[in-house]
Amino acid sequence: MNPRQVADYMFNQDFFSQWMNIKMIEVKENYCLIEMPIKKEMLNGLKTVHGGVTFAFADSALAFSSNNTGDAAVALNCIINFTKAGKEGDTFRAESILVNETRKTAVYDIKITNQNEELIAKFVGTVYKIGKKVTEL
């Protein structure tokens, strides 16, 4: 399977990403660009996007980029910095780019922006390659 087919295979089993209404815009080896509309159910008590929603969105980007070669990888460590509050009606985009890879780990930079290309959050995710194929899980 090519990277897009692997990502689509994963997405079809990823009911949480489906619930968030994530759309895959572009998928290449160790890379993905995804999009998600912000709904009222994603807001916190201050009427801004809940940090957990932003984190989960970035985590989905990490999953689709780090697994799309077909070799399964799981999150080992993730760090997020929130730079701007999102609002209802926004459209978030997450771009995940591989920055370093070893035999067992990989590090990805993920940038989350809104429809105006304003930076919402910066996420760095480290994954551990578990030695299995995505299709075996």
Side-chain angles (χ1 to χ4, degrees), residues 5-15 17-18 24 64:
Q5 290 169 324
V6 174
D8 286 341
Y9 173 86
M10 289 179 62
F11 184 79
N12 288 336
Q13 302 177 98
D14 185 345
F15 300 109
S17 289
Q18 291 174 36
M24 277 194 241
F64 297 133

Side-chain angles (χ1 to χ4, degrees), residues 16-92:
F16 188 73
S17 289
Q18 291 174 36
W19 176 79
M20 289 195 301
N21 204 24
I22 289 175
K23 304 283 184 259
M24 277 194 241
I25 306 302
E26 185 178 0
V27 178
K28 298 184 284 195
E29 187 171 317
N30 296 309
Y31 171 92
C32 80
L33 177 65
I34 60 176
E35 192 173 86
M36 174 182 73
I38 299 302
K39 307 177 283 188
K40 123 178 126 173
E41 296 83 9
M42 297 174 167
L43 303 182
N44 61 26
L46 301 176
K47 299 181 186 171
T48 60
V49 177
H50 192 287
V53 170
T54 305
F55 188 99
F57 181 53
D59 187 48
S60 288
L62 177 64
F64 297 133
S65 59
S66 66
N67 285 281
N68 71 29
T69 62
D71 296 318
V74 296
L76 189 59
N77 183 53
C78 300
I79 299 167
I80 191 165
N81 288 293
F82 302 101
T83 56
K84 184 174 177 63
K87 305 279 187 191
E88 182 179 358
D90 280 351
T91 300
F92 281 9

